[in-house]
Amino acid sequence: MFPSPVRVVRFVRVARWEAAALAVLGLLGALVAGAPAAAPSPRAAHVRAVTAVPAAPGSATPLSGYAIRSTAEVSDAAEVVSAPGYRTTGWYPAGPRSTVLAALVAEGKHPDPFYSTNQQRIPAADFTVPWWFRAGFTVEDTSSRTYLDFSGVVSAADVFVNGKQVATASAVAGAYTRHEIDVTGLVRAGANAVAFRIEPNNPRKNLTMGWLDWLQPPPDENMGIVRDVLVRRGGPVALRDAHVVTGLALPSLATADLTVKAQVRNDSAEAVTATLSGTIDPAGPTGPTGPGGTGVAFRRDVPLRAHETKTVAFAPADTPELHLDSPRVWWPAGMGAQELYALDLTVTVPRAGAESGAVSDRSRHGFGIRSVQAPLNKDGARQYSVNGRPLLVRGAGWSPDQLLRWDRTYAEDRLAYARDLGLNTLRLEGHLEQDEFFDLADRYGILTLPGWQCCTKWEGEVNGTEAGESWTAADHPVAKASMAAEAARLRDHPSVVSFLIGSDFAPDAEIEKGYLDALKAADWPTPVIPAASAKSAPLSGSSGMRMPGPYDWVPPGYWYDKREGGATGFNSETSAGPDVPTLDTLRRMMSPAELTALWKDPAAPQYHRSPSRTYATLKLYDDALTARYGAPRSLEDYVAKAQLAQYENVRAQFEAYGRNATDASKPSTGVIYWMFNSGWTSLHWQLVDRFLDQGGAYFGAKKANEPLHIQYSYDDRTVAVVNRRRAAVSGLTARVSLFNTDGTQKYDRTVTGLGVGGDGAKATALTLPASVEGLSTTHLARLVLTDAAGREVSRNVYWLSTRRDVLDYDESDWWHTPTTAYADLTGLRSMAQASVSATATTAAGADEQATSTTTVTVRNTGTGNTPALLTDLHLVDGKDVPVLPVQWSDNQISLWPGESATLTATYRTADLHGSAPRIRVSGWNTPTATVPAAARR
């Protein structure tokens, strides 16, 4: 049902309720680097999805794929379908982690749902009945025990092995619950079969995953199996739940105490004395040493009765080697190195006639040593610190692929982009990613804030009077089991710094207690946050977070006020809404007719925005774009203005939160840009688009988050220097110049001897005058910061107006604050064309797997005064197609006549596909030209 009127309050994303109410083997590598769906391939007449499972104790082998088909097309009984040898003629292949729709799209059954309105052509009725997921596996040795171990079933499943039902859909329910089924008695030598009968998904009815107002939800609602199904082998004694509890000495970081825990389970009918032994070693080449100088080793005998389970713990009190001197501490990106350790555990049982025992089971996984704290400050806001150092959370909301297809390269590319942008955090609201994602986040130093999703069944029962989807008695154990499984999976990742047990709302007392009990039992090591909004939970108290929006367009100056979504406290999700991608991307995702409507008709519904009525059009955004920059004259002009608008707005958002982070009163403590990416071909909520192209939003964020940064404040006209480095800096010089749009200088001031502390400190260099004689209504501000040696260390260019944007805060709602008067930036239209030259050379990698670097020198060769505003460089191949992903040292730069800049672009050599690299140069007032990037000699 829809929420009651009580629920429709400002901080609630009502649109998400609207969206919910509207009714891999897959891509064969096509999603690498964000490529479009692969061309259809012929469907095999007989699908063979067979996995060879070794007998080695401790092995965990993922099923390699499935044959899938709708139960509406399969008349055979489950016992027959799940029997070895059953023929799957006419079934579709699916990858080891696949939704139904992902598999069907890969096979060409449906058109690419990421282009135009193709997704509307896919009949949703096909997914209202269960689907079979069937796989085969072979076992040569049946003397080992065999288990099925899995999670990620969306939404529930009956499970069968070799013709026998081993679990019901009432037991295998919820996308995040984890299940281990002992199938030793059913497994035979040779061919075996497992079949899942997957129930349709409804995120309003099931504790699974949904999309709400992020994008147009897929017609199958992601039904399928989206994580690995493992076939585990082992001896009579199983090893489970291995983890490390770390205690780091603060503030010295001089020592760390480790406690290793694991469950040892005797699955046999005989008593046995098992031996549990382990080692801890740094994942890198060097690290802390135990007595032998090569790490830490420990062991213990564990007597077990038949079918008994014991939790075994090794701590410094009984294992002194677990007290580490000079530990290798893990730091977030930009604060230090990402040091990791490896824990190896082995359990052995006595072997007749042998001195050493037989290996029964083993495990290996990584962990990091770090401390996370997040108390409430005096203003009631969460203030995170890592290893005793305060941290301004600069983050964005992460989205997986809309069809939940996993591609490690594509995920790593996006994480590399996050680090390139100077972000330190990604928030995962629901859609808690694969294990590899968190491994990569550990490596890249990107903090993560996972949590449950808003406005679906997860928030059916809340701590308040708001009406949601009521829970049944069966939902509570599913929720607690989900929490237990995710806590066990995520707890040892140093990148995971909290769990948000609520999003828009905090859970009620019963649900919260279930979550907290599960987290405590799992030795959860980091703060538990009751909600992402300004809500409290009965046991956890205040969230210390806030969610006032906005989610749609507001002017850049909005972010500086300490009210609504402005820069104070911890804003868990916010942005100025639309992020129109580059022209290259738009032409890949929309039809010609849709592109015409995009720039000509602000009132046109935009399918690639959102299913929400609130975000159905771009009218609010387009009205502001026209009022501030002038009416668009073509698609190209519309996109160019969008890049200017998105650059200035995203930059202002991050700059405002950075400036206010060290304020004595109501400081900013965190901001999550909504969102980092959309997971679909989208027109809103993204710093980077589906194809990994970079526009104004991307480079505005990159500029704002540079480590040592000079910036302008829209509210009080101050120019400040923000230093995110650890060490203080002195001897800086700031020069600020104001220009008319024809390049005529009207103001110039230099301030020397500036110093600024470290860890996010700021220093004010000067305040621009309220008025400057002769300054045009639209004008430019150039800010340049140089170090004691005269080297330029930060450069920032703004396009400003003597007329300010005026906000009507009294009429604010949960998604934006109205603007009643707009800044006049239309003077940019009269800027003369700038003459820009570019030369480029490339240092190519040695082979197709290597990385190449193209170095570009761009110069404004004009003889007058006109600057080249927001000059954009795109690395393209011989067909003028962008080479993506790419990391630029800087981009979208502004140069005055005689000025030049040398930039670098780093990318995978293979992504050129044999073509020679070229550089496409364009800009606001720069004609588009393409130059070769010859190989460097």
Side-chain angles (χ1 to χ4, degrees), residues 503-521:
S503 179
D504 291 28
F505 297 93
D508 69 13
E510 182 180 2
I511 297 172
E512 182 191 20
K513 186 177 187 305
Y515 290 152
L516 295 181
D517 287 348
L519 288 160
K520 182 178 179 180

Side-chain angles (χ1 to χ4, degrees), residues 116-485:
S116 186
T117 57
N118 279 353
Q119 187 166 260
Q120 292 180 321
R121 297 163 54 190
I122 302 173
D126 289 355
F127 312 109
T128 58
V129 299
W131 277 66
W132 281 111
F133 276 60
R134 186 188 186 281
F137 64 94
T138 59
V139 171
E140 293 184 3
D141 180 3
T142 59
S143 62
S144 296
R145 301 195 69 84
T146 306
Y147 312 85
L148 286 182
D149 184 343
F150 59 90
S151 66
V153 174
V154 182
S155 66
D158 296 302
V159 186
F160 303 83
V161 173
N162 289 349
K164 302 292 184 181
Q165 186 165 8
V166 296
T168 65
S170 61
V172 181
Y176 300 103
T177 55
R178 185 170 179 177
H179 309 273
E180 182 181 288
I181 303 172
D182 189 337
V183 295
T184 303
L186 296 175
V187 170
R188 62 190 69 172
N192 296 270
V194 57
F196 293 80
R197 188 164 55 199
I198 308 290
E199 295 289 329
N201 184 35
N202 182 339
R204 287 185 61 80
K205 301 293 185 182
N206 309 117
L207 292 168
T208 58
M209 305 177 187
W211 286 104
L212 306 163
D213 55 1
W214 297 3
L215 46 75
Q216 301 287 351
D220 72 338
E221 293 284 5
N222 294 136
M223 69 183 299
I225 305 175
V226 298
R227 293 182 181 172
D228 285 336
V229 174
L230 303 175
V231 182
R232 291 190 177 274
R233 308 300 303 280
V237 177
L239 177 63
R240 299 290 186 267
D241 200 41
H243 61 286
V244 182
V245 180
T246 64
L248 180 63
L250 297 178
S252 69
L253 312 184
T255 63
D257 288 334
L258 310 183
T259 299
V260 177
K261 291 186 176 183
Q263 284 187 356
V264 182
R265 185 183 72 213
N266 182 7
D267 285 335
S268 75
E270 305 292 334
V272 65
T273 296
T275 299
L276 179 61
S277 59
T279 60
I280 290 176
D281 290 287
T286 60
T289 59
T294 57
V296 175
F298 46 88
R299 69 189 303 273
R300 184 177 301 161
D301 291 337
V302 184
L304 295 166
R305 299 188 301 273
H307 303 297
E308 182 183 15
T309 299
K310 285 184 178 178
T311 297
V312 182
F314 299 88
D318 52 56
T319 309
E321 296 86 351
L322 294 175
H323 175 81
L324 304 183
D325 293 320
S326 302
R328 293 166 62 97
V329 176
W330 186 94
W331 289 96
M335 297 179 72
Q338 288 73 59
E339 305 284 5
L340 295 169
Y341 288 81
L343 168 68
D344 285 276
L345 291 177
T346 302
V347 61
T348 58
V349 295
R351 179 167 48 183
E355 293 184 5
S356 60
V359 173
S360 184
D361 206 353
R362 64 175 79 243
S363 74
R364 175 183 175 84
H365 76 278
F367 69 96
I369 298 175
R370 58 94 179 90
S371 172
V372 177
Q373 297 174 324
L376 302 180
N377 66 13
K378 63 183 178 61
D379 300 303
R382 290 280 168 190
Q383 175 63 71
Y384 277 84
S385 65
V386 177
N387 302 331
R389 287 173 57 185
L391 176 78
L392 171 67
V393 170
R394 304 185 310 278
W398 175 271
S399 173
D401 172 69
Q402 182 215 35
L403 304 185
L404 302 186
R405 296 168 292 194
W406 170 255
D407 186 295
R408 180 186 173 91
T409 301
Y410 187 47
E412 186 166 6
D413 288 341
R414 286 177 287 163
L415 283 165
Y417 270 13
R419 183 163 174 159
D420 179 56
L421 286 175
L423 303 181
N424 56 30
T425 305
L426 292 169
R427 181 182 167 211
L428 286 73
E429 184 195 340
H431 299 111
L432 306 183
E433 277 280 21
Q434 306 285 348
D435 293 344
E436 297 97 319
F437 170 86
F438 293 98
D439 291 336
L440 290 168
D442 293 343
R443 281 180 41 207
Y444 278 89
I446 302 298
L447 304 176
T448 62
L449 290 171
W452 302 129
Q453 192 170 31
C454 101
C455 311
T456 58
K457 190 63 175 286
W458 289 103
E459 290 194 338
E461 304 276 358
V462 302
N463 185 39
T465 59
E466 295 82 8
E469 196 74 37
S470 296
W471 282 27
T472 67
D475 291 318
H476 291 272
V478 172
K480 185 173 181 179
S482 299
M483 187 73 264

